[in-house]
Amino acid sequence: MDYISVGPRAAKSPKATERTVDHTRKAYLGIRNLMLHNELAPGQKIAYRDLAERLGMSQTPIIQALKWLEFQQLVRHEPHRGYFTAPVDPREVDEIYQTRELIECALLGATLARLDDAGLLSLQRALAEHHKASRERYLAERLEKDMAFHLTLASLSDNRIQTRILADLFDLLYLKYGGRLLFSTSMTSADSDHQELHEYILARDLRGARRTLSRHIRRVRRHVLRGLAQISAEKDRAGL
């Protein structure tokens, strides 16, 4: 009886495995970028071939990347139908903002206790980048800098687990639901909130910082939920 070799010659070489991982990561980052720029709308069927052509690669890393995104709950898979971006769920959006408020406000105490000159400099840079982006017309750029400011502030607490959870929550908001659905909000109010928060942090005023951060997140949450309710009502009137 002849046997098929399963020895070293049948296995992938380390370099081949590394190339596969690199291609999958490239596909993953490319799809994330499309979601952030609203080029994959919530509830949309994802066509492997179209994505492969747009990202300049074969369908295999695209499918592997989609499995990764499914694990992160950013897309969903339906047997025999393929992958879809997730539909809008206002309840989930509401819960994400509530959880954000709990985590971000809880971390402020540790952030102020550990804050040094290097930390202040990184926060000032994140604030400056946000101010600059808020005057740009590209929504994705504004969302990225808004997220960077909040994650920089959280990371200064040195609580890696809660900061990682917070980063995942931002992914759910900005990738799963898309910036266009979430943010027609005024960046002027976000600008002033971030600036006020930064001033309280400079003054080492924990109570003022928590009050400002809580107010900011709640204001954005109310705005987003009103926007989603309006979109839903418009679809109902149009019979969609």
Side-chain angles (χ1 to χ4, degrees):
M1 180 182 292
D2 292 331
Y3 292 93
I4 299 174
S5 173
V6 293
R9 288 182 299 173
K12 280 188 175 182
S13 69
K15 286 186 177 180
T17 300
E18 186 177 340
R19 283 196 299 269
T20 298
V21 172
D22 286 345
H23 289 161
T24 300
R25 180 169 179 79
K26 180 181 177 182
Y28 170 79
L29 293 174
I31 296 170
R32 280 177 59 98
N33 193 52
L34 292 174
M35 295 172 76
L36 182 62
H37 286 79
N38 297 289
E39 295 182 48
L40 290 175
Q44 173 183 337
K45 180 174 172 52
I46 300 172
Y48 309 147
R49 182 175 298 177
D50 289 348
L51 278 181
E53 289 178 356
R54 293 176 74 174
L55 299 177
M57 59 181 61
S58 70
Q59 293 185 40
T60 300
I62 296 293
I63 294 171
Q64 293 301 318
L66 288 171
K67 289 179 180 178
W68 192 353
L69 289 162
E70 181 189 14
F71 176 76
Q72 295 179 287
Q73 300 182 30
L74 298 175
V75 301
R76 75 181 196 280
H77 181 260
E78 295 186 11
H80 311 297
R81 294 194 64 204
Y83 284 92
F84 294 78
T85 52
V88 174
D89 181 353
R91 178 177 176 181
E92 182 178 58
V93 173
D94 189 17
E95 291 176 0
I96 289 170
Y97 276 107
Q98 290 185 52
T99 308
R100 267 192 59 191
E101 183 182 357
L102 288 172
I103 293 174
E104 293 191 57
C105 289
L107 291 178
L108 278 175
T111 292
L112 289 183
R114 297 179 57 85
L115 196 60
D116 56 15
D117 290 343
L120 275 174
L121 182 60
S122 65
L123 187 62
Q124 287 167 354
R125 286 172 176 167
L127 179 64
E129 288 294 315
H130 177 266
H131 283 332
K132 180 181 176 182
S134 68
R135 290 160 179 81
E136 300 287 340
R137 60 191 184 94
Y138 299 108
L139 179 60
E141 176 79 7
R142 302 206 310 261
L143 295 179
E144 287 176 333
K145 299 308 180 184
D146 176 80
M147 177 173 62
F149 175 80
H150 284 272
L151 290 179
T152 297
L153 182 60
S155 69
L156 293 173
S157 71
D158 202 34
N159 189 314
R160 290 174 292 176
I161 296 299
Q162 292 193 55
T163 301
R164 179 66 257 175
I165 292 171
L166 186 60
D168 289 341
L169 291 174
F170 273 109
D171 275 356
L172 285 173
L173 281 173
Y174 293 169
L175 299 178
K176 185 173 180 178
Y177 291 109
R180 193 174 300 149
L181 280 176
L182 297 177
F183 270 85
S184 55
T185 187
S186 169
M187 293 305 290
T188 301
S189 63
D191 258 6
S192 60
D193 286 347
H194 287 184
Q195 184 63 49
E196 183 178 341
L197 175 59
H198 178 257
E199 290 170 1
Y200 277 122
I201 290 170
L202 283 176
R204 301 298 202 278
D205 185 339
L206 178 59
R207 180 177 297 180
R210 279 183 174 157
R211 183 176 63 248
T212 300
L213 182 56
S214 175
R215 184 191 65 210
H216 168 63
I217 295 173
R218 290 184 182 191
R219 178 158 53 196
V220 175
R221 170 176 158 239
R222 288 194 300 269
H223 179 92
V224 168
L225 291 175
R226 281 198 303 267
L228 293 179
Q230 183 177 352
I231 290 171
S232 178
E234 289 172 353
K235 286 184 177 180
D236 287 343
R237 286 194 295 270
L240 299 177

